C-alpha cells in the first residue's frame, strides 16, 4: 500500500485548507450565481470516473477472467444503450434521451476500469512467477525500488527491525538457474540494515524466498530477503536530490522534542519514521491522521504560498500558474515522485487548471478526468485509502465548501470565519465513510479538532519545506526554520492529545467496506434530504436531542472504570499491562504492553494521571515495549526492573526512559515490600536466577503478590513451568493463594497444574492478543481453570477487564472490545 499508514493504513489530507472556488459574481438568495443555478455542478465526467474506479476496485478482488467478463457485460450493455438512444432500436423517450447517455457513460467507465485492471492482473498472475510463488522457491531477484523502505513497528525484542520495501520485479532466477523476465510488483520483507538507505528508482539484486501476497492489489509476490541487497548503480538524480533534502530536514529536526521533531517531517514529506506511536494514535482518534501523509493539500499549501507571492508581485494569471507549476515540480522532487505523491500532485494541479482558465467550475470535470486517468494507468490506486481520501476531500472542497461558506455568510458569519468553518467540515464529511471503514469508529471530535488545527498546518508545512530547501547550503538556517515550525507542530500535537482524551469522542461503527458504504449512503441521503428547509430543521432538532440526551449519559452514567475496582487488565494486544488503583488518579502499573499508544490509551480510560510505581516483570517487548506510553503525560515516581538483564533491547528501552526522566530505578529481591495508599506489594521467588530453561527471561519474571482492598492478587509475568515449580518449592503455600490470578504467559501451555491448584483463583485474567500465532490461551488451561471454579476473562474477547469489590463480594466487569483496535 503506498504512502504512510496506522492500523494498518495510508491517508490523504482530509481536514486541511485548500483553495475553495470563490464566487465572484453576485449570488441569489441561495448563494448560487445565476449561471451556476442554471447549469449546476458539471458532473458529466463524474459518472464515468466513479464507474471506472469501482470497476477497478472490484477487479482487484477478482481474477483476470472474471474482470474481463465484467468488462464484456458492460460493453454489451453500453452498445445496446447507445443503439437505443440513437433510435436504431426504437424511438427513445425524452426522459430516456436525457439520462440515457449518462448511463452509457457509466457503462463505458466500467469497461475501461475493468479492462485496464484485467490486463494488469494477467501480468501479475503470469505462469512462471506464480509457479515459483506456489513452490515458495529460493530465488535471486532483480528489483527496482518503488518507494522508501518503511519500518514495521512492534517487532520482536532482540531481533533486527523488519523493513517493507515496495519494488518492481524485473527478472528472477529460480533454483534451477533459469532466468525469467517478470515485470511485476513485489513486496520485500528484509531485516538487513543494508536495505534501510535505499532510494526509489534504485536497481539492485537480492536473494530470498518467495511467498504468496495477501491479495487485493497488484502485488504478485512477497520476497523474504535473506541478506543485504546488491545495488547496481546509484538512484536517479531527482531521487538523490530528494534524499539529501529529506535527510537535511531530519537533521534540522533532531534538536526538537520527539513529538514535534517526529511530526514535522510527516507534515512536510510524509516521513513518519520518528513519529512517536502515541502521537499517531491521538491523530487517528481525532481524525487528524491525514496530516501525516503527503496529499493534495500539501500541494495546495505550498502552491498557495507561491500564489500569494505572485499576486503580491502583481503577476498575471498565466504567469502565476507557471510559477505555481515550477513550485509543484520542485515539491514533487522533494517528497519523491512515488505513485502516492504523483496522485497528490495531480489533485493539486486541478487547482492550477481552474486558476489558469479563470473558471473554478472547470475544477470538477478536471477532478473526474484525473481520477479516471490515474485509475486506468494504475488500477491499484482504486484500493488505496489514501487515493480515496484525496479524491473525496478535493470533491468535498469543490462541491460542498463553497455552498456552505456562502450559506454561513448569508447568516451573518464573517467571510474568513465562514470559510474556516466550511472547509474542514466539508472535507471531513466527504472523507468520513472511508475513515470509518478503516478505523471502525466515527469520530465526534474530528471536525472541531481539524478546525482548531487549520491555523497551524500551513505555517508548519511552509516552514518545514523551507528548512528542507536550505538544509544543504545553510544547516543553521534550516534548524532555525524547523524550530519556528515546531511551534505550530506543538499546537497540532496538543489538539490531537486533548481531543483523544475527550470522553465519547468516538463511536463504534461497522468496519471495512460495508461500514464505509453504510455511512456513505447515510451521508448522501442526509445531504439530499437537508436541501429542504423542513428537513434541515428536523435534522437540527434530532442532532441537538441526541447530543443532549445521549452524551451526558455517556459522561455521567457508570462506565469505565467501574466503581470498586481493585485490578484491571488492559487490552493492549499480545502483551501485558495490569493496573492497581492506589487512590483517585494514581495507580501502580505492572508491565506496559508492546506499544506505547495502547497502554497510554488504557491508562487514560482508567483516569490514571500519576504512577507511583511502574513494574516491568521482564524485558520482552510484549511487556516493556510500551514503557514510553506510561510516562506520557504522567508523573512516574519509580521503576521496578527485573534482575535478569535480557533481552538487551527491552532492558535498554526501560533504562533509557527512566534515565531520560530522572526516575529512580529499583530492583526487587525476594521479600521486597512496597506500600502506597490501598496497595501492598511483596516480591516472591528465590534469590538465585534460573538458567538453562526454555526461556530464561520468562522464568526470571518478577512475581508479585498484591493486596488491594483486602483482595489478594497474584501477578506472575510470563513465569513458565520451571519458575512456577521454583515458587512452589520456595514460597509457603499460603502466600501463593489469591482470589485473582494474572494467568502466566498469556495462558500458554507451559503451566504447572500444582501451581494452579496452590493459587485456586476465583478470577483468572488472561491478557492476550486477538488472532495471535502462538495459540494463546491454550484450551486445556482454560478448561482446567474453569473446572477449578475460576471465572476467566480474556482481553482479546472482552477488551479491558477488571475485578471489583461490591456489597456482594468479588465480581468482574468487562469493557468490551473496541472495533478495529484489538490486535
Amino acid at each position: 500500500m503506498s504512502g504512510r499508514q496506522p492500523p494498518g493504513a495510508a491517508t490523504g489530507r482530509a481536514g486541511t485548507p485548500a483553495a475553495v472556488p470563490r464566487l465572484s459574481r453576485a449570488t441569489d438568495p441561495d448563494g448560487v450565481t445565476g449561471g451556476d443555478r442554471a447549469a449546476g455542478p458539471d458532473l458529466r465526467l463524474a459518472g464515468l470516473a466513479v464507474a471506472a474506479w469501482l470497476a477497478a476496485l472490484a477487479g482487484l478482488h477478482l481474477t483476470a477472467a472474471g474482470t474481463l467478463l465484467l468488462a464484456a457485460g458492460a460493453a454489451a450493455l453500453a452498445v445496446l444503450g447507445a443503439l437505443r438512444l440513437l433510435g436504431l432500436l426504437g424511438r427513445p423517450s425524452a426522459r430516456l434521451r436525457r439520462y440515457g447517455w449518462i448511463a452509457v457513460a457509466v457503462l463505458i467507465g466500467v469497461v475501461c476500469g475493468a479492462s485496464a485492471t484485467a490486463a494488469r492482473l494477467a501480468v501479475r498472475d503470469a505462469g512462471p512467477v506464480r509457479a515459483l510463488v506456489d513452490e515458495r522457491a529460493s530465488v535471486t531477484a532483480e528489483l527496482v525500488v518503488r518507494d522508501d523502505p518503511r519500518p514495521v513497528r512492534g517487532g520482536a525484542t532482540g531481533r533486527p527491525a523488519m523493513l517493507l520495501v515496495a519494488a518492481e520485479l524485473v527478472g528472477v532466477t529460480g533454483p534451477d538457474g533459469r532466468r525469467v523476465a517478470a515485470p511485476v510488483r513485489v513486496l520485500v520483507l528484509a531485516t538487513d540494515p543494508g536495505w534501510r538507505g535505499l532510494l526509489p528508482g534504485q536497481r539492485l539484486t537480492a536473494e530470498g524466498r518467495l511467498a504468496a501476497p495477501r491479495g487485493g492489489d497488484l502485488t504478485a509476490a512477497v520476497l523474504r530477503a535473506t541478506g543485504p541487497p546488491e545495488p547496481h548503480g546509484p538512484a536517479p538524480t531527482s531521487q538523490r536530490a530528494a534524499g539529501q533534502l529529506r535527510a537535511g530536514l531530519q537533521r534540522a529536526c533532531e534538536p526538537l522534542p520527539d513529538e514535534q521533531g517526529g511530526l514535522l517531517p510527516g507534515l512536510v514529506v510524509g516521513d513518519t519514521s520518528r513519529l512517536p506511536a502515541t502521537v499517531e494514535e491521538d491523530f487517528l482518534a481525532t481524525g487528524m491522521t491525514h496530516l501525516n501523509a503527503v496529499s493534495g493539500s500539501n500541494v495546495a499549501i505550498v502552491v498557495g504560498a507561491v500564489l500569494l507571492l505572485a499576486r503580491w508581485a502583481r503577476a498575471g494569471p498565466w504567469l502565476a500558474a507557471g510559477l505555481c507549476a515550477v513550485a509543484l515540480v520542485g515539491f514533487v522532487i522533494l517528497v519523491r515522485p512515488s505513485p502516492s505523491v504523483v496522485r497528490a500532485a495531480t489533485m493539486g494541479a486541478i487547482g492550477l487548471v481552474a486558476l489558469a482558465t479563470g473558471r473554478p467550475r472547470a475544477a470538477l470535470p478536471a477532478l473526474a478526468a484525473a481520477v479516471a486517468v490515474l485509475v486506468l494507468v494504475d488500477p491499484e490506486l482504486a484500493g488505496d485509502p489514501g487515493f480515496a481520501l484525496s479524491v473525496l476531500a478535493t470533491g468535498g472542497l469543490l462541491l460542498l465548501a463553497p455552498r456552505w461558506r456562502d450559506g454561513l455568510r448569508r447568516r451573518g458569519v464573517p467571510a474568513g470565519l465562514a470559510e474556516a468553518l466550511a472547509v474542514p467540515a466539508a472535507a471531513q464529511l466527504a472523507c468520513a465513510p472511508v475513515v470509518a471503514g478503516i478505523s471502525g469508529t466515527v469520530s465526534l471530535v474530528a471536525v472541531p479538532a481539524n478546525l482548531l488545527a487549520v491555523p497551524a498546518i500551513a505555517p508548519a508545512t511552509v516552514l518545514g519545506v523551507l528548512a528542507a530547501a536550505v538544509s544543504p547550503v545553510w544547516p543553521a538556517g534550516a534548524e532555525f526554520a524547523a524550530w519556528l515550525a515546531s511551534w505550530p507542530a506543538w499546537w497540532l500535537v496538543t489538539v490531537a492529545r486533548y481531543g483523544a482524551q475527550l470522553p465519547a469522542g468516538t463511536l463504534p461503527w461497522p468496519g471495512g467496506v460495508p461500514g464505509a458504504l453504510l455511512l456513505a449512503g447515510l451521508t448522501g441521503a442526509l445531504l439530499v434530504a437537508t436541501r429542504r428547509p423542513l428537513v434541515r430543521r428536523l435534522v437540527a432538532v434530532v442532532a441537538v436531542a441526541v447530543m443532549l440526551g445521549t452524551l451526558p449519559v455517556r459522561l455521567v452514567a457508570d462506565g469505565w472504570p467501574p466503581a470498586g475496582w481493585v485490578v484491571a487488565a488492559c487490552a493492549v494486544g499480545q502483551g501485558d499491562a495490569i493496573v492497581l488503583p492506589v487512590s483517585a488518579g494514581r495507580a501502580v502499573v505492572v508491565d506496559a504492553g508492546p506499544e506505547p499508544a495502547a497502554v497510554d490509551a488504557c491508562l487514560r480510560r482508567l483516569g490514571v494521571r500519576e504512577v507511583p510505581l511502574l513494574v516491568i516483570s521482564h524485558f520482552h517487548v510484549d511487556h516493556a515495549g510500551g514503557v514510553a506510553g506510561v510516562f506520557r503525560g504522567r508523573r512516574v515516581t519509580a521503576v521496578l526492573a527485573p534482575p535478569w538483564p535480557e533481552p538487551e533491547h527491552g532492558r535498554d528501552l526501560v533504562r533509557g526512559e527512566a534515565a531520560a526522566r530522572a526516575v529512580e530505578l529499583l530492583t526487587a529481591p525476594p521479600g521486597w515490600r512496597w506500600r502506597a495508599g490501598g496497595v501492598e506489594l511483596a516480591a516472591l521467588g528465590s534469590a538465585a536466577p534460573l538458567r538453562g530453561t526454555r526461556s530464561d527471561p520468562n522464568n526470571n519474571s518478577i512475581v508479585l503478590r498484591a493486596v488491594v482492598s483486602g483482595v489478594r492478587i497474584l501477578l506472575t509475568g510470563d513465569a513458565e513451568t520451571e519458575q512456577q515449580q521454583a515458587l512452589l518449592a520456595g514460597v509457603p503455600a499460603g502466600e501463593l493463594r489469591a482470589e485473582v490470578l494474572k494467568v502466566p504467559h498469556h495462558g500458554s501451555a507451559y503451566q504447572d497444574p500444582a501451581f494452579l491448584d496452590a493459587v485456586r483463583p476465583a478470577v483468572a485474567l488472561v491478557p492476550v492478543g486477538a488472532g495471535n500465532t502462538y495459540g494463546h490461551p491454550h484450551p486445556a488451561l482454560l478448561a482446567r481453570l474453569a473446572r477449578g471454579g475460576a471465572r476467566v476473562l480474556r482481553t482479546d474477547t472482552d477488551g479491558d477487564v477488571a475485578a471489583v469489590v461490591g456489597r456482594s463480594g468479588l465480581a468482574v466487569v468487562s469493557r468490551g472490545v473496541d472495533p478495529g483496535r484489538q490486535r
Side-chain angles (χ1 to χ4, degrees), residues 309-384:
L309 292 175
R311 287 182 173 174
W312 177 77
R314 301 183 182 276
W318 284 103
L319 178 58
L323 293 174
C324 290
V326 172
L328 180 61
V329 172
F331 183 72
V332 169
I333 292 176
L334 168 64
V335 299
R336 300 217 192 283
S338 62
S340 60
V341 175
V342 172
R343 174 200 74 213
T346 303
M347 297 302 161
I350 293 171
L352 293 181
V353 173
L355 171 67
T357 60
R359 296 174 57 199
R361 288 183 65 250
L364 191 61
L367 172 63
V371 169
V373 171
L374 287 172
V375 168
L376 296 181
V377 171
D378 186 4
E380 189 172 350
L381 287 176
D384 182 2

Side-chain angles (χ1 to χ4, degrees), residues 48 51-52 74 78 103-113:
L48 186 147
V104 171
V106 169
L107 292 170
I108 292 174
V110 173
V111 173
C112 295

Side-chain angles (χ1 to χ4, degrees), residues 58 65 104 114 171 224 236 263 266 319 338-339 364 371 413 425 445 551 587 637 654 659 699 706 720 743 748 795-796:
V104 171
R224 298 182 179 273
L263 177 61
L319 178 58
S338 62
L364 191 61
V371 169
V413 179
V445 300
L551 188 57
T637 305
V654 173
N699 283 307
E720 296 182 344
V743 176
S748 76
T795 59
D796 60 338

